[in-house]
């Protein structure tokens, strides 16, 4: 466990994580803790002592409500450097890749209920050695209607001895199909230590002027990572079109997008190529996105729970953040008792300069035996790029992306376009 923490560059666990690890030794656990409090490590670290190198089939199953959360957990487990294989399965991921992965089963399998159920109906992996079941963001999985799939999957697990259920909201009734018996309950939802250091601000404007007010606000604050929340995907698209017309660089994220486009939007947000992401509540929970400085509620969420989850994207793990509410005159949502401090908007709007980073696309990834070292070597040596001009690199199954200084990226593409990586000529271009 200590080596895993070193690999993750984490010096000390928080109180919730320590309590979860201790409780895991006693049996089943129900962990209630706010979004952004570090629940992923709270259930991954206790796994380490229970995995056996002599067992060549799946030993731990982690069910999650979204593909983004599955990918995030897979990445964290890999970064722990345990030596155990991990894979994830989710809708929209090529079935051929998953079948190939499962032909050499991982010790830890992460997946969404729909896709895991599909694999079990096809008998593509053995469940006889699965001793640990983790239901992450279980409240969200119920909200998405996964009860039937989850119930079916859990019935196929004859050897489970330990169960952990996590939730970011209060859960008084746990469905019987989970199999959880006499659990240790850990409730950190009201823990002061976990409460975000969040400042609330109000941007007041007439409904007809709301878009102009949003534009003025983003011109003022968007030099820092900013999430803009809307209630519906059509609102995301409409606002995006209007902001593009105003010359404001940004990206979008919602459930109606193709999976590749969603992953690319998050990736560019993580690496700083875009500092504004306009999204639905899909981005309010369980996404691997960086520390967010600002959250903007362009449309107010329907209830306090959704409001809390949106705000949970900022001020995470002891950091500070600001939540801006776009309000009409005399409007105050029922989940606020007092009107937040008013945010002064600039009289004259100046569009922020584009981010200093842009994203390079490389048409090869892990399945092609390409790694970060190969990409760094190519871009620094053949691309004549200085170290400070190369940012975050992410290597996916069949593609890779690198953040490059925007002023250098066209020159770099020209220099490397005819170069090879590991003896192969690979398409390299500025990501669309």
């Amino acid at each position: 466990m200590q080596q895993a923490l070193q690999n993750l560059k984490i010096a000390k666990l928080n109180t919730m994580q320590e309590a979860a690890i201790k409780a895991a030794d006693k049996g089943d656990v129900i962990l209630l803790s706010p979004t952004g409090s570090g629940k992923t490590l709270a259930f991954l670290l206790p796994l380490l002592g229970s995995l056996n190198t002599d067992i060549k089939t799946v030993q731990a199953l982690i069910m999650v409500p979204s593909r983004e959360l599955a990918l995030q957990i897979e990445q964290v487990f890999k970064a722990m450097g345990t030596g155990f294989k991990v894979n994830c399965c989710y809708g929209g991921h090529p079935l051929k890749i998953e079948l190939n992965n499962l032909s050499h089963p991982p010790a830890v399998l992460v997946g969404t209920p729909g896709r895991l159920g599909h694999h079990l109906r096809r008998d593509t992996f053995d469940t006889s050695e699965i001793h640990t079941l983790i239901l992450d963001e279980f409240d969200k999985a119920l909200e998405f209607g996964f009860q039937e799939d989850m119930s079916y999957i859990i019935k196929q697990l004859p050897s489970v001895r330990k169960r952990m259920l996590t939730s970011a909201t209060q859960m008084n009734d746990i469905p019987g199909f989970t199999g959880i018996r006499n659990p240790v309950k850990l409730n950190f939802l009201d823990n002061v230590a976990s409460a975000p250091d969040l400042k609330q601000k109000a941007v007041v404007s007439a409904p007809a002027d709301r878009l102009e007010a949003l534009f003025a606000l983003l011109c003022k604050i968007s030099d820092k990572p900013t999430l803009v929340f809307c209630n519906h995907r059509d609102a995301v698209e409409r606002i995006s079109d209007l902001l593009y017309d105003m010359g404001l660089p940004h990206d979008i994220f919602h459930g109606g997008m193709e999976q590749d486009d969603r992953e690319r939007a998050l990736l560019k947000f993580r690496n700083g190529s875009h500092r504004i992401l306009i999204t639905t509540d899909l981005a309010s929970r369980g996404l691997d996105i960086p520390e967010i400085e600002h959250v903007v509620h362009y449309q107010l969420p329907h209830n306090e729970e959704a409001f809390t989850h949106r705000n949970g994207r900022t001020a995470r793990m002891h950091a500070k953040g600001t939540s801006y509410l776009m309000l009409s005159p005399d409007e105050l949502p029922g989940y606020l008792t007092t009107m937040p401090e008013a945010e002064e908007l600039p009289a004259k709007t100046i569009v922020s300069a584009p981010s200093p980073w842009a994203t390079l696309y490389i048409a090869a990834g892990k399945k092609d035996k390409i790694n970060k070292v190969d990409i760094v070597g190519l871009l620094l040596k053949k691309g004549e790029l200085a170290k400070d001009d190369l940012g975050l690199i992410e290597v996916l199954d069949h593609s890779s992306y690198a953040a490059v200084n925007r002023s250098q990226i066209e020159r770099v593409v020209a220099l490397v376009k005819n170069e090879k990586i590991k003896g192969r000529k690979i398409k390299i271009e500025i990501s669309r």
Side-chain angles (χ1 to χ4, degrees):
M1 193 180 294
Q2 288 305 316
Q3 185 58 54
L5 290 175
Q6 282 182 21
N7 292 341
L8 293 168
K9 296 181 173 57
I10 293 174
K12 190 176 185 299
L13 295 174
N14 64 32
T15 304
M16 178 273 292
Q17 292 164 336
E18 289 176 345
I21 292 168
K22 194 176 294 183
D25 289 335
K26 299 175 183 176
D28 292 351
V29 178
I30 294 176
L31 174 60
L32 308 177
S33 193
T35 298
S37 57
K39 290 192 292 293
T40 302
L41 278 186
F43 62 73
L44 285 183
L45 288 170
L47 265 185
L48 301 185
S50 66
L51 298 177
N52 186 336
T53 54
D54 295 329
I55 297 175
K56 303 304 180 186
T57 59
V58 181
Q59 300 176 56
L61 185 67
I62 304 173
M63 272 197 276
V64 298
S66 71
R67 59 195 78 181
E68 287 82 12
L69 185 52
L71 287 163
Q72 176 185 332
I73 293 169
E74 180 190 40
Q75 289 167 357
V76 172
F77 191 85
K78 285 180 177 178
M80 290 164 69
T82 66
F84 288 101
K85 184 182 178 186
V86 61
N87 286 124
C88 62
C89 304
Y90 52 87
H93 193 222
L95 202 57
K96 185 177 179 182
I97 290 175
E98 294 182 358
L99 293 172
N100 184 53
N101 288 337
L102 292 169
S103 67
H104 303 282
V108 178
L109 182 61
V110 190
T112 53
R115 181 54 66 91
L116 287 173
H118 176 81
H119 281 295
L120 286 176
R121 290 180 179 93
R122 293 181 56 161
D123 291 322
T124 54
F125 67 92
D126 180 11
T127 63
S128 63
E129 296 288 350
I130 296 176
H131 53 67
T132 300
L133 171 66
I134 295 164
L135 303 171
D136 190 26
E137 299 278 14
F138 184 70
D139 55 328
K140 200 69 176 174
L142 292 179
E143 184 184 318
F144 285 174
F146 287 133
Q147 292 93 322
E148 190 174 327
D149 283 321
M150 289 190 290
S151 179
Y152 168 76
I153 292 163
I154 293 169
K155 286 176 183 174
Q156 315 306 310
L157 310 178
S159 306
V160 171
R161 302 187 298 275
K162 189 171 292 186
R163 293 168 168 84
M164 182 181 281
L165 181 155
T166 83
S167 172
T169 61
Q170 188 66 252
M171 298 200 69
N172 297 319
D173 299 314
I174 304 300
F177 69 75
T178 62
I180 289 177
R181 299 287 180 269
N182 302 315
V184 177
K185 293 184 179 179
L186 302 175
N187 189 343
F188 286 84
L189 292 176
D190 298 320
N191 185 11
V192 175
S194 298
D197 185 357
L198 184 70
K199 182 181 289 186
Q200 302 270 12
K201 294 283 197 79
V203 177
V204 180
S205 66
D209 299 327
R210 182 164 294 184
L211 184 69
E212 286 73 15
L214 174 66
F215 178 67
L217 175 66
L218 292 177
C219 286
K220 181 177 180 179
I221 68 172
S222 64
D223 58 328
K224 302 291 185 185
T226 301
L227 281 175
V228 179
F229 281 104
C230 302
N231 291 338
H232 306 287
R233 61 183 66 166
D234 59 340
V236 171
E237 296 280 356
R238 178 172 49 82
I239 293 162
S240 173
D241 289 344
L242 292 168
L243 290 181
Y244 271 126
D245 290 344
M246 294 171 164
L248 192 65
H250 65 277
D251 214 333
I252 64 171
F253 181 85
H254 61 69
M257 297 166 62
E258 293 292 330
Q259 177 62 17
D260 285 350
D261 293 334
R262 278 164 59 175
E263 287 184 6
R264 194 180 302 111
L266 289 182
L267 189 146
K268 289 184 177 182
F269 194 56
R270 277 196 296 270
N271 72 22
S273 293
H274 282 126
R275 291 179 293 213
I276 302 171
L277 190 66
I278 305 171
T279 180
T280 60
D281 283 337
L282 184 64
S284 66
R285 296 173 65 175
L287 294 188
D288 181 20
I289 50 181
E291 190 61 61
I292 307 301
E293 194 90 4
H294 307 297
V295 165
V296 179
H297 304 273
Y298 182 79
Q299 294 173 320
L300 293 179
H302 299 302
N303 55 52
E304 185 174 7
E305 183 181 320
F307 183 64
T308 300
H309 287 308
R310 287 181 179 185
N311 288 336
R313 298 315 317 182
T314 188
R316 308 181 78 193
M317 298 293 281
H318 315 303
K320 296 182 179 181
T322 306
S323 167
Y324 298 90
L325 289 84
M326 309 287 294
L327 301 174
S328 302
D330 302 320
E331 180 183 17
L332 184 67
Y335 39 80
L336 290 183
T337 54
T338 58
M339 175 64 82
E341 174 190 348
E343 174 72 11
E344 292 294 326
L345 297 179
K348 183 179 180 182
T349 53
I350 301 174
V351 177
S352 304
S355 157
W357 298 102
T359 300
L360 194 67
Y361 164 74
I362 300 155
K366 288 178 283 192
K367 300 294 184 183
D368 309 296
K369 310 300 182 190
I370 300 297
N371 58 41
K372 287 184 182 180
V373 175
D374 300 321
I375 295 169
V376 170
L378 174 74
L379 297 180
L380 297 192
K381 293 175 185 174
K382 303 295 185 179
E384 300 177 6
L385 201 60
K387 281 185 180 179
D388 290 345
D389 291 329
L390 180 60
L392 181 68
I393 297 171
E394 294 195 44
V395 182
L396 310 181
D397 282 346
H398 292 291
S399 59
S400 302
Y401 296 86
V404 173
N405 185 314
R406 189 176 294 273
S407 67
Q408 301 290 322
I409 196 165
E410 290 189 7
R411 182 183 66 85
V412 169
V413 169
L415 288 170
V416 301
K417 66 178 180 181
N418 294 316
E419 296 294 337
K420 295 180 179 180
I421 303 179
K422 290 189 172 172
R424 290 177 50 209
K425 188 173 179 182
I426 293 169
K427 182 180 181 181
I428 300 174
E429 62 186 15
I430 299 173
S431 177
R432 62 180 175 83

